[in-house]
Amino acid sequence: KQEVTQIPAALSVPEGENLVLNCSFTDSAIYNLQWFRQDPGKGLTSLLLIQSSQREQTSGRLNASLDKSSGRSTLYIAASQPGDSATYLCAVDGRGGGADGLTFGKGTHLIIQP
Amino acid sequence: DTEVTQTPKHLVMGMTNKKSLKCEQHMGHRAMYWYKQKAKKPPELMFVYSYEKLSINESVPSRFSPECPNSSLLNLHLHALQPEDSALYLCASSQDRDRGYQPQHFGDGTRLSIL
């Protein structure tokens, strides 16, 4: 059974710092990996998707990397801002065949101090 | 603004009530999903529909009954729920995996409270 772990569980940093969130998964036979953001009481906003054949994806100040063989992904946030405060979830789509569900990590709760 | 619309946003019901949660998308996606998220926990998959057919049921109790009447709509019928079923229920959709590697798009969820 696929298991996803995220480190750290919580992180509080001053505004402007660059930071790295880590995600690891136990079964490397994945289709893709997605990073989401969740604000309190809200749904999930998709940030980046990395296909299994890709090494990284970038969107604005966000950069996600994937090392499928070692079962690891990182989300790099450059020049952090208070508006980046949220819970960041890593999820893998790891089953074969047709449409499938995601397996989520427990998330990293990020606070950016003004 | 989310492209997956869930109604209602909040629902309070007693253990003997029958209610339904609704999810709608108009992105032409043929896969739709229900997830349950307890407080301070990650979402957990409940059901997957592919081309309007139930393809995955993650051993969910029968008091939860999903329905996919057409390719744009997904319902979750609730009956005789327990207090521990109180949670945020999230709907998602995606292109079916056979069409390529597509992200899942999530709605804002329905926050359900069982009295």
Side-chain angles (χ1 to χ4, degrees):
Chain A
K1 180 183 177 184
Q2 179 75 269
E3 293 183 2
V4 180
T5 302
Q6 290 187 246
I7 296 173
L11 183 62
S12 180
V13 299
E15 180 179 6
E17 285 201 4
N18 302 325
L19 48 97
V20 175
L21 308 183
N22 297 291
C23 172
S24 61
F25 46 95
T26 54
D27 187 345
S28 62
I30 64 169
Y31 259 86
N32 61 55
L33 183 145
Q34 269 186 269
W35 283 95
F36 293 90
R37 168 189 173 135
Q38 186 172 32
D39 294 290
K42 299 292 187 180
L44 277 64
T45 300
S46 180
L47 299 174
L48 289 165
L49 178 145
I50 310 177
Q51 297 176 18
S52 61
S53 59
Q54 296 176 326
R55 298 286 291 183
E56 67 177 328
Q57 281 287 332
T58 298
S59 176
R61 294 182 293 108
L62 304 179
N63 176 276
S65 67
L66 174 64
D67 184 342
K68 197 176 78 161
S69 61
S70 67
R72 293 180 181 177
S73 176
T74 61
L75 179 66
Y76 176 83
I77 303 177
S80 58
Q81 302 171 358
D84 295 330
S85 298
T87 296
Y88 289 79
L89 294 161
C90 166
V92 297
D93 185 354
R95 309 188 205 197
D100 212 339
L102 299 175
T103 301
F104 286 84
K106 292 184 178 180
T108 293
H109 181 54
L110 177 63
I111 296 175
I112 307 299
Q113 306 154 9
Chain B
D1 290 337
T2 181
E3 296 170 311
V4 177
T5 303
Q6 290 189 243
T7 55
K9 294 188 183 302
H10 303 275
L11 179 62
V12 179
M13 58 186 287
M15 289 189 284
T16 58
N17 292 155
K18 287 185 180 181
K19 296 286 185 183
S20 297
L21 309 184
K22 180 179 175 181
C23 175
E24 192 167 5
Q25 58 87 15
H26 295 287
M27 295 179 281
H29 291 170
R30 302 309 298 272
M32 296 187 77
Y33 313 78
W34 281 115
Y35 292 84
K36 174 182 178 179
Q37 186 177 26
K38 300 281 284 183
K40 300 189 186 302
K41 298 288 187 183
E44 294 181 344
L45 183 68
M46 300 175 71
F47 302 104
V48 180
Y49 273 84
S50 178
Y51 289 87
E52 295 92 71
K53 286 184 168 50
L54 182 65
S55 60
I56 294 178
N57 176 340
E58 289 287 4
S59 302
V60 179
S62 59
R63 57 185 184 267
F64 295 92
S65 176
E67 178 196 22
C68 191
N70 60 57
S71 60
S72 300
L73 282 174
L74 184 66
N75 298 319
L76 186 62
H77 303 299
L78 314 173
H79 174 55
L81 295 194
Q82 303 298 309
E84 61 265 27
D85 296 322
S86 297
L88 181 67
Y89 288 83
L90 294 163
C91 173
S93 71
S94 70
Q95 294 285 6
D96 187 89
R97 187 109 52 75
D98 294 339
R99 299 288 296 275
Y101 302 137
Q102 299 291 335
Q104 291 190 18
H105 298 259
F106 282 78
D108 285 337
T110 293
R111 185 159 300 281
L112 177 65
S113 298
I114 307 300
L115 301 178

